[in-house]
Amino acid sequence: MNLDLLLAFIQNKLNDELFMLGFYQCMLSFLVACFVSVVSIPVVIKISELKALMEKPGERRAHKTPTPTFGGIAIFAAVLISYFLWPSIDQTDIYRTNLSIVGMTILFFIGIKDDLVGIDPNKKIFFQVLPALILVFFGDLRVDYLYGIMGFNHIEEVISVALTCFIFIALTNAINLIDGIDGLAGGVATLASGTFGAWFLVTNHFAMACLAFTLAGALIGFLRFNFSKTSKIFMGNTGSLIIGFLLAFFAVRFINLNSSYRFDPTSFFDAPIIAIVILIIPIFDTLRVFMVRILAGRSPFSADRNHMHHILLDNGLSHAGATALLCGTSLFNIVLFFLFHRNITNTQSLMILGGLFFLYLLAGFLLKMRALLVATHPRRRRALLRKEFQNALGGRRLVDYL
């Protein structure tokens, strides 16, 4: 789309009364969600302090003092209040968005239990699959078209149901896994929900846009306290579960809508690739951490400090600095892809993403080595470096490959 066409498109939208009504509704939802989040979080902090519901520092924790971990309650309340405050002007997705609220509510209570007393991992996975199945079968929401990636287009219903559930589980847990430092999960989710929301708004899917901007507003209010030194709060599993679920909902619906309207000028024939790029940091970091743990002979779900944000902290960056770097990387990739995506096929785009993932792996490995060299006493560096190389090579010695 050249500049003249873009200006004409914007002018047409500004003259469209329905679009402007949807735009004002989305902006009001954003502001109300931000306000509710800001005024409710101090209450959550106070109750957490009175009842001693604090997360204590530990070996894998990035914080140094006991901190409330129920920010997800405020995010949930902000989304719920601001989304249902206005009458819907778009009936296309209203049932699906209402079903997403049902799924989010299920995960909200699972997250609360997990934050309070913990929950069995198998039960946690079951209650992540359940909301996805509600949307798949009641909301008729599934990824059933692969846009020619690796030669695949339409796929069988059973495979599409399994793939959709996998996307929900993977993205929900990916957001949970990157929630390790101040602002990272919230910042990535704000960027993603704002990007999805903008496309939903431009294409007149106002119910989806309103929910996306509502989440963005709730997260902006949360981030004000997440970065605070005097009134800090974490989103906890409650927050990461509902945020990951909603982002998965936005991503699947984005892919689904573009396949349904693929001849519309506002649609993208590379929607799955765009969805991956928008969520590139949580996806890449989860894949990288799982690969490192498996190569080291450990369970991919075992706990460690191998996330990229941990490595950046070990290299001397602050929480704000690491968050800014990773969110900036995500934004840079989104902008770059939107500038050049029309000139390449989906299979080529997927191969480029594979190359970027390799660079992400390499960057993590080199930064890990640098952190060891800087922080370790000289007499222990050789042993630690040897251990890291063995982990990277699948537990073998480097000489075994020579």
Side-chain angles (χ1 to χ4, degrees):
M1 184 181 291
N2 60 40
L3 183 59
D4 291 336
L5 288 176
L6 180 61
L7 291 174
F9 178 78
I10 294 174
Q11 187 62 45
N12 287 336
K13 283 296 180 181
L14 293 176
N15 293 331
D16 185 344
E17 292 184 3
L18 184 64
F19 170 80
M20 294 307 297
L21 180 60
F23 174 79
Y24 291 135
Q25 186 180 81
C26 288
M27 293 304 102
L28 284 172
S29 296
F30 175 88
L31 293 173
V32 170
C34 186
F35 174 77
V36 172
S37 184
V38 167
V39 300
S40 60
I41 284 178
V43 177
V44 175
I45 292 175
K46 187 65 176 178
I47 293 173
S48 297
E49 291 174 345
L50 289 174
K51 299 298 181 181
L53 301 174
M54 315 283 276
E55 185 176 86
K56 298 178 181 179
E59 182 181 350
R60 292 184 54 252
R61 307 298 182 185
H63 61 288
K64 304 300 182 185
T65 58
T67 305
T69 183
F70 289 95
I73 295 175
I75 295 171
F76 177 77
V79 170
L80 222 59
I81 291 171
S82 55
Y83 173 73
F84 285 114
L85 198 58
W86 324 101
S88 177
I89 60 175
D90 165 35
Q91 297 302 313
T92 305
D93 284 300
I94 187 66
Y95 182 54
R96 290 188 185 90
T97 53
N98 288 345
L99 286 176
S100 74
I101 298 296
V102 172
M104 184 180 72
T105 304
I106 293 171
L107 290 174
F108 170 76
F109 286 106
I110 295 303
I112 286 287
K113 182 179 179 181
D114 199 13
D115 284 328
L116 285 172
V117 295
I119 188 170
D120 180 74
N122 293 325
K123 290 182 180 179
K124 194 173 181 180
I125 291 294
F126 170 78
F127 284 108
Q128 291 174 8
V129 173
L130 180 61
L133 291 176
I134 289 173
L135 278 168
V136 167
F137 290 111
F138 289 90
D140 193 28
L141 180 74
R142 60 179 65 93
V143 176
D144 54 7
Y145 186 74
L146 296 183
Y147 296 77
I149 297 175
M150 307 301 288
F152 293 98
N153 286 301
H154 292 283
I155 56 177
E156 296 295 330
E157 183 175 351
V158 174
I159 298 175
S160 71
V161 170
L163 176 61
T164 305
C165 288
F166 172 78
I167 291 171
F168 272 93
I169 295 171
L171 289 180
T172 301
N173 286 285
I175 296 298
N176 181 263
L177 288 171
I178 66 166
D179 183 30
I181 60 172
D182 297 341
L184 181 55
V188 167
T190 301
L191 183 61
S193 58
T195 305
F196 284 127
W199 186 85
F200 290 135
L201 178 60
V202 166
T203 54
N204 290 355
H205 292 92
F206 299 118
M208 294 294 302
C210 184
L211 184 59
F213 281 109
T214 292
L215 177 61
L219 289 169
I220 291 292
F222 163 77
L223 287 172
R224 176 256 179 267
F225 293 93
N226 193 216
F227 280 114
S228 173
K229 295 186 181 299
T230 57
S231 53
K232 182 182 292 294
I233 191 171
F234 300 145
M235 66 173 62
N237 291 315
T238 308
S240 62
L241 287 176
I242 63 177
I243 291 167
F245 173 77
L246 286 179
L247 290 180
F249 175 49
F250 300 151
V252 171
R253 188 57 178 151
F254 173 76
I255 296 169
N256 188 253
L257 282 171
N258 278 281
S259 67
S260 301
Y261 302 103
R262 55 183 179 273
F263 300 110
D264 189 280
T266 59
S267 66
F268 297 101
F269 195 67
D270 46 6
I273 305 298
I274 292 176
I276 293 172
V277 171
I278 291 173
L279 295 163
I280 195 168
I281 293 299
I283 292 173
F284 274 20
D285 197 60
T286 301
L287 286 174
R288 179 192 160 276
V289 167
F290 278 18
M291 286 183 64
V292 169
R293 291 170 182 172
I294 291 170
L295 287 173
R298 295 185 286 111
S299 165
F301 301 101
S302 60
D304 57 27
R305 282 182 57 85
N306 266 315
H307 290 280
M308 184 62 81
H309 53 265
H310 289 141
I311 295 173
L312 292 174
L313 292 182
D314 292 340
N315 275 272
L317 268 70
S318 64
H319 282 227
T323 295
L325 178 60
L326 292 172
C327 289
T329 301
S330 180
L331 180 60
F332 175 76
N333 279 282
I334 292 171
V335 172
L336 200 65
F337 186 80
F338 273 106
L339 288 176
F340 298 106
H341 74 106
R342 296 286 186 184
N343 302 320
I344 52 178
T345 67
N346 287 338
T347 301
Q348 289 172 333
S349 296
L350 192 62
M351 293 174 67
I352 291 171
L353 286 175
L356 289 175
F357 179 63
F358 174 77
L359 292 177
Y360 190 81
L361 280 173
L362 182 62
F365 179 73
L366 293 177
L367 287 171
K368 185 78 172 179
M369 295 301 100
R370 181 186 181 277
L372 287 171
L373 289 172
V374 170
T376 307
H377 190 277
R379 285 179 296 180
R380 295 189 60 216
R381 285 178 187 169
R382 181 178 298 178
L384 287 170
L385 287 173
R386 186 185 301 116
K387 180 181 178 182
E388 290 298 324
F389 270 107
Q390 288 179 4
N391 288 343
L393 297 172
R396 300 184 183 183
R397 296 173 302 166
L398 184 60
V399 70
D400 295 334
Y401 287 83
L402 299 178

